[in-house]
Amino acid sequence: MAASTSILARYFPILEWRRAYDGEALSSDMVAAVIVTIMLIPQSLAYALLAGLPPVMGLYASILPLVAYAVFGTSRTLAVGPVAVVSLMTASAAGAVAAHGTAEYLEAAITLAALSGVMLFALGVLRMGFLANLLSHPVISGFITASGILIATSQLRHILGVQAGGDTWPAMLGSLFAALDQVSPATLAVGVPAVIFLFWVRKGLKPLLVRLGLKPRAADIAAKAGPVAAVAVSILAVIAFDLAARGVNITGEIPSGLPPFAMPSTEPSLIRQLLVPALLISIIGFVESVSVAQTLAAKRRQRISPDQELIGLGASNIASAFSGGYPVTGGFARSVVNFDAGAQTPAAGAFTAIGIALASLFLTPLLFALPIAVLAATIIVAVLALVDLKTPRQLWTYSRADFAAHVATIAITLLAGVEMGVIAGVSVGLLLYLWRASRPHAAIVGRVPETEHFRNVERHKVFTVPYVLSIRIDESLTFLNARWLEEYVLEEVAERPRLRHVILMASAVNEIDASGLESLEAINHRMVDAGIRLHLSEVKGPVMDRLQRTHFIEELNGRVYLSQARAFADALRDNGEGDGAADDLARGMI
């Protein structure tokens, strides 16, 4: 019975945290839900606009997905819903198969959510949470930075009130410049102040309210409500000055009511066209979400399960698809707000869903006169926080290879679009990994005087002798690098005519595959032919277990030593002229 309960709790984390759910947790979750709901309403509308969808679909994607994650998710504070990068990827994928504003476009967005949900759910069941490691930090950072630039640029047309488009940065900029003579002064008068106000709210409102005597927590809540204030003021301005008649685009009628039941497409041709985009959305969404969840969980000494997170996000996307939404994932800004607001359990997300549902029922008629420019301003302010200008400088100093991957991801995303950016980022990351793995680090080492430690001869003053060569291997031996090691050892041996012993120090070798074993055998045969003894030292237990299942240990013309110090000492004693040195070494004098 206990075992079955444990299995159920693994797949339904709600069964675990609800046991300790009490009034204090309820109060904290309710407060957090109110704050996140205030923040999420304008964001949901704005991100749906970014995805090329009716604003109401942003609300739909912020109701049932939150409930599904509360049941299946493991993070106590992750806030699921529409996010900027996934919205941009949705627009790119759906726009490739249907025209914006058509029923086919909406169907493609819903189908993307369903496909992404099924993929994520299946990966979770197969326990493939390690996929989060496929994208390195430089690649992810580069992709998010480039996406932030693309998103902000794409929204400038709404600030200017012009017709422009494009899927790449050059196309967007060219389209904007070509339409500059069509700029709407009234739209500009709404959009620019909104951008300035939202930027100020993000940084300056809370300190001002604190100086005016408001408590920090209340000031923080008021600052988070800044976008709602921008929405309210802009609606009043549109009504008071009849700005819609002056060319200011507004959202128009937003349907009231709860999300409808929707059916993703089962058309094979459409599914085939959306499979790759759905996979890319799934991977990017999962990596972004699990990174946020792990960061926040660590602050409270909690843990999350990447495998179960796949299931939680999969269930959220399936719920979004069948309720008329589009792909969702865990959002950084919302999750941080949820965390700071004191959310204790995923129930905060479910309460947020109730708040969004109430807004869908009763508030949508009030949004009729909401200027599109204000939603665009909300997006611009949100995504420019994603643009990271510090990482390139840091990577240039720390790792030129990672810098190359970072810059390549940014450049390809900007020049070729988001899908090619993701593919290129993964490809560049894997190629760099393979290049590094094919050229492992190895060092000739000697003994540090008066110790039993061995260090790189190029970095330290160490004791060596011309008839003993000690090589420390700092990587596992695999098909990627085995040939390199073989050539490296033979080149070093060829330069030492007095050599009698070669010791391979394997303390950093965690695995030797078949190719690595073959190279060790080849080195051993060459040493036999040259009259040189080959030894291994500090071989790890699991590696030694595998070697003992082969003939290599029997054919080895030297020995396997537990320590490098013993191997070196024995090699010294084997030389007729080195007995005195070996005795001094044993006494720690050399």
Side-chain angles (χ1 to χ4, degrees):
M1 184 69 179
S4 61
T5 303
S6 176
I7 293 174
L8 277 176
R10 189 178 75 186
Y11 289 105
F12 297 91
I14 189 174
L15 298 177
E16 183 177 341
W17 57 260
R18 72 173 177 82
R19 295 176 192 155
Y21 202 70
D22 54 18
E24 183 179 349
L26 174 64
S27 175
S28 298
D29 287 344
M30 291 287 285
V31 171
V34 170
I35 297 172
V36 174
T37 299
I38 292 171
M39 179 184 185
L40 190 53
I41 290 173
Q43 271 196 358
S44 298
L45 299 170
Y47 289 150
L49 174 71
L50 173 60
L53 299 167
V56 73
M57 287 186 69
L59 296 177
Y60 293 163
S62 303
I63 300 176
L64 287 187
L66 279 71
V67 177
Y69 185 82
V71 175
F72 293 99
T74 59
S75 171
R76 300 295 181 97
T77 53
L78 188 71
V80 172
V83 300
V85 173
V86 170
S87 297
L88 178 64
M89 296 178 73
T90 298
S92 175
V97 299
H100 281 251
T102 63
E104 290 77 14
Y105 188 93
L106 302 185
E107 184 179 47
I110 292 171
T111 304
L112 270 174
L115 290 174
S116 179
V118 170
M119 289 176 180
L120 289 166
F121 199 93
L123 291 172
V125 171
L126 295 174
R127 305 182 70 79
M128 297 183 71
F130 65 87
L131 286 175
N133 301 325
L134 281 180
L135 294 176
S136 66
H137 172 71
V139 168
I140 282 290
S141 176
F143 175 73
I144 291 177
T145 291
S147 296
I149 294 171
L150 283 177
I151 292 168
T153 305
S154 72
Q155 296 307 298
L156 289 177
R157 61 193 176 98
H158 297 301
I159 301 294
L160 300 174
V162 300
Q163 295 294 322
D167 294 323
T168 64
W169 203 39
M172 289 177 185
L173 292 175
S175 180
L176 284 171
F177 280 120
L180 284 179
D181 59 339
Q182 305 167 16
V183 170
S184 165
T187 303
L188 204 61
V190 172
V192 172
V195 171
I196 295 172
F197 173 74
L198 290 173
F199 268 120
W200 175 76
V201 163
R202 181 177 285 263
K203 297 292 185 181
L205 182 57
K206 180 179 177 180
L208 175 63
L209 294 175
V210 170
R211 285 198 300 271
L212 292 176
L214 206 60
K215 291 184 178 179
R217 185 173 177 81
D220 189 55
I221 294 173
K224 297 296 187 297
V228 176
V231 166
V233 171
S234 65
I235 290 174
L236 293 175
V238 167
I239 296 172
F241 300 105
D242 195 18
L243 295 180
R246 298 171 183 263
V248 175
N249 291 326
I250 59 176
T251 58
E253 183 178 357
I254 298 178
S256 298
L258 296 175
F261 177 76
M263 274 296 292
S265 173
T266 56
E267 178 62 37
S269 61
L270 178 62
I271 291 175
R272 279 196 301 271
Q273 289 176 288
L274 295 178
L275 275 178
V276 172
L279 178 61
L280 297 178
I281 287 172
S282 300
I283 293 174
I284 289 295
F286 171 61
V287 171
E288 180 180 354
S289 179
V290 79
S291 299
V292 175
Q294 287 175 333
T295 299
L296 296 179
K299 292 183 177 182
R300 292 184 180 174
R301 299 189 179 184
Q302 297 168 346
R303 62 176 297 275
I304 68 162
S305 166
D307 295 324
Q308 185 60 32
E309 283 299 290
L310 282 167
I311 293 176
L313 292 175
S316 297
N317 277 280
I318 292 171
S320 183
F322 284 98
S323 59
Y326 67 100
V328 298
T329 192
F332 177 76
R334 285 195 302 274
S335 298
V336 171
V337 170
N338 199 36
F339 179 91
D340 290 340
Q344 296 297 312
T345 72
F351 296 143
T352 300
I354 294 173
I356 300 296
L358 292 174
S360 299
L361 283 170
F362 304 112
L363 297 183
T364 51
L366 302 177
L367 300 174
F368 179 89
L370 173 61
I372 298 296
V374 173
L375 293 180
T378 302
I379 294 173
I380 290 172
V381 173
V383 300
L384 286 183
L386 302 176
V387 177
D388 183 0
L389 300 179
K390 295 180 181 177
T391 294
R393 295 196 300 271
Q394 294 170 346
L395 290 176
W396 175 260
T397 303
Y398 183 74
S399 170
R400 300 294 169 85
D402 284 334
F403 173 81
H406 181 78
V407 171
T409 304
I410 291 176
I412 295 172
T413 303
L414 291 176
L415 299 176
V418 290
E419 290 185 9
M420 283 303 301
V422 178
I423 294 171
V426 174
S427 301
V428 170
L430 289 176
L431 286 174
L432 283 173
Y433 170 77
L434 294 175
W435 181 79
R436 288 169 178 155
S438 68
R439 300 180 61 81
H441 183 266
I444 298 172
V445 298
R447 183 167 181 172
V448 179
E450 302 184 9
T451 75
E452 292 188 354
H453 299 296
F454 285 77
R455 294 292 185 268
N456 192 331
V457 297
E458 296 181 1
R459 291 177 175 270
H460 302 271
K461 292 182 179 180
V462 293
F463 172 72
T464 61
V465 291
Y467 49 88
V468 180
L469 174 63
S470 295
I471 299 175
R472 188 187 67 220
I473 307 167
D474 292 335
E475 302 281 350
S476 293
L477 298 182
T478 68
F479 68 97
L480 291 170
N481 58 36
R483 183 66 62 184
W484 180 91
L485 176 68
E486 187 178 335
E487 294 174 356
Y488 176 81
V489 172
L490 295 179
E491 285 177 4
E492 295 296 334
V493 168
E495 294 176 0
R496 293 167 172 79
R498 297 177 58 189
L499 197 63
R500 296 188 55 175
H501 297 273
V502 173
I503 307 170
L504 298 183
M505 185 176 176
S507 54
V509 177
N510 295 316
E511 180 185 5
I512 300 177
D513 70 4
S515 299
L517 176 62
E518 185 178 349
S519 287
L520 286 179
E521 291 172 341
I523 293 171
N524 184 55
H525 291 153
R526 291 289 192 94
M527 297 302 102
V528 171
D529 294 340
I532 299 171
R533 299 192 69 189
L534 176 68
H535 310 282
L536 301 180
S537 74
E538 302 187 7
V539 181
K540 292 185 175 180
V543 176
M544 191 63 188
D545 291 342
R546 295 183 67 179
L547 290 178
Q548 287 175 333
R549 295 199 294 266
T550 71
H551 297 291
F552 174 73
I553 300 299
E554 297 174 6
E555 297 173 357
L556 184 67
N557 75 333
R559 293 176 54 188
V560 179
Y561 287 90
L562 188 63
S563 74
Q564 174 68 18
R566 175 51 55 193
F568 188 60
D570 282 0
L572 285 178
R573 292 190 181 98
D574 187 51
N575 188 284
E577 300 174 0
D579 291 339
D583 293 340
D584 287 344
L585 182 65
R587 291 194 298 269
M589 296 173 62
I590 296 177

